[in-house]
Amino acid sequence: MENEDKARKFITEVLRNMVVDPSTKERIEKDLYCHIMEAAENVDIDTFLQQMGSPQEVASEFMQNIYDSDSDLVQKLVQDKKIPPHHPAPPPHPLHHLHPPHHPDPASHPTPPPPHLKTVKPPMHPVSPPEEANREVPED
Amino acid sequence: MDGINRQLKKGVTEILVLHLLSKMDMYGYQLIQDLDQKSASTFKMKEGSLYPILYRLEDSGLVKSYYKEPQGREMPKKYYEITPEGVLELNKMKTEWIRMQMIVNSVLDIDKEGS
């Protein structure tokens, strides 16, 4: 197999293990290709690909460094999987612990979202507040 | 310990990459090799660490990239070069690095103990 084919095959596997937006994916694809071909001018491509690690490891390293934090990554995963945003339940009644609610019909009380969605933090770069929030309220 | 080491390295890699690029334009593979050599293999960067740094630097206008025409049978290489803004930022980073180093050493009593 030619060096170009080996590089392409490896990169396809790396990209298959990544959750990034299409433009970043394209950027990584081009750069990894150049990188492997640059290396192949100096060392044997099979040895070099082996040194890089498995495609899963390469993908994981990229992901860890592209996202600033775990919460950014979770947000991205949620967006990519098109999971609807979680609307938090209203605060419990002050005497909630004394009188736990009884739910005879499970259909009317859907299962809570999985734990990983409950821990989603706001993004590192918060979205600007809506204009209404900045508007001055005239004093009475 | 590995985790701490990783975080420490992560914090300074950006300044090291910018510094290397301030000396000469380099392509990705060359940057990894150079950093490995100059740091006595302390900074053995993986591709997944280098390129996201280059993306951040490029997106903030501190470096820019270009393809160099291949010579003979060589493949085209993607070079990175530092911009004037990058040079200014590098100088700021170096000043901040020296300041931080002094403060951390002082808190850790390193200067006093000479350790």
Side-chain angles (χ1 to χ4, degrees):
Chain A
M1 203 190 290
E2 291 290 322
N3 282 356
E4 287 89 343
D5 295 335
K6 286 178 182 174
R8 295 250 178 250
K9 196 180 166 199
F10 184 84
I11 294 164
T12 305
E13 278 304 303
V14 172
L15 297 177
R16 231 162 47 88
N17 286 282
M18 267 186 196
V19 182
V20 286
D21 57 90
S23 63
T24 307
K25 211 169 224 186
E26 202 183 323
R27 202 174 188 183
I28 292 170
E29 185 179 9
K30 283 181 186 167
D31 287 338
L32 262 188
Y33 180 74
C34 275
H35 184 83
I36 295 170
M37 298 316 287
E38 284 159 9
E41 285 181 3
N42 300 285
V43 291
D44 171 60
I45 192 165
D46 292 316
T47 314
F48 181 71
L49 292 178
Q50 220 168 359
Q51 282 170 358
M52 281 180 75
S54 68
Q56 289 81 5
E57 285 167 343
V58 176
S60 164
E61 183 88 15
F62 263 99
M63 299 274 284
Q64 282 175 37
N65 289 292
I66 283 173
Y67 298 106
D68 286 339
S69 68
D70 289 346
S71 63
D72 280 359
L73 177 59
V74 173
Q75 290 281 356
K76 182 71 199 152
L77 286 167
V78 169
Q79 279 171 20
D80 273 38
K81 300 295 171 199
K82 297 192 168 48
I83 299 170
H86 169 56
H87 300 291
H93 189 274
L95 300 177
H96 177 83
H97 62 289
L98 296 177
H99 304 284
H102 175 63
H103 302 306
D105 177 17
S108 63
H109 299 278
T111 316
H116 71 278
L117 287 182
K118 281 185 172 178
T119 57
V120 170
K121 293 174 190 167
M124 292 292 287
H125 311 291
V127 178
S128 312
E131 277 184 24
E132 282 78 6
N134 295 331
R135 217 173 271 163
E136 284 183 18
V137 181
E139 288 179 21
D140 289 333
Chain B
M1 188 62 197
D2 270 359
I4 297 170
N5 207 359
R6 192 185 164 89
Q7 287 304 315
L8 282 173
K9 281 183 186 171
K10 205 173 171 181
V12 295
T13 316
E14 232 171 78
I15 187 172
L16 294 177
V17 168
L18 264 185
H19 176 75
L20 290 180
L21 292 177
S22 74
K23 300 290 173 195
M24 63 186 284
D25 297 359
M26 287 188 190
Y27 51 90
Y29 178 72
Q30 195 181 6
L31 267 169
I32 290 181
Q33 294 296 310
D34 211 39
L35 197 52
D36 178 35
Q37 207 180 353
K38 286 187 172 142
S39 70
S41 295
T42 302
F43 285 89
K44 260 191 169 320
M45 281 190 94
K46 304 287 277 181
E47 292 72 16
S49 306
L50 174 70
Y51 286 98
I53 288 175
L54 288 172
Y55 297 162
R56 276 196 289 276
L57 294 174
E58 198 172 16
D59 292 345
S60 40
L62 304 181
V63 303
K64 58 182 180 183
S65 60
Y66 62 92
Y67 284 91
K68 204 168 187 175
E69 284 299 309
Q71 292 176 341
R73 284 172 61 89
E74 277 184 3
M75 294 292 292
K77 291 188 178 75
K78 188 177 181 181
Y79 278 80
Y80 293 87
E81 70 170 310
I82 195 164
T83 62
E85 293 81 12
V87 175
L88 287 175
E89 191 60 29
L90 174 63
N91 289 335
K92 278 188 208 165
M93 282 174 164
K94 281 181 178 172
T95 309
E96 188 60 17
W97 168 254
I98 292 166
R99 198 178 73 88
M100 286 294 288
Q101 206 183 3
M102 280 168 60
I103 292 169
V104 173
N105 283 352
S106 162
V107 172
L108 296 178
D109 295 331
I110 285 177
D111 291 336
K112 288 175 210 165
E113 292 168 9
S115 49

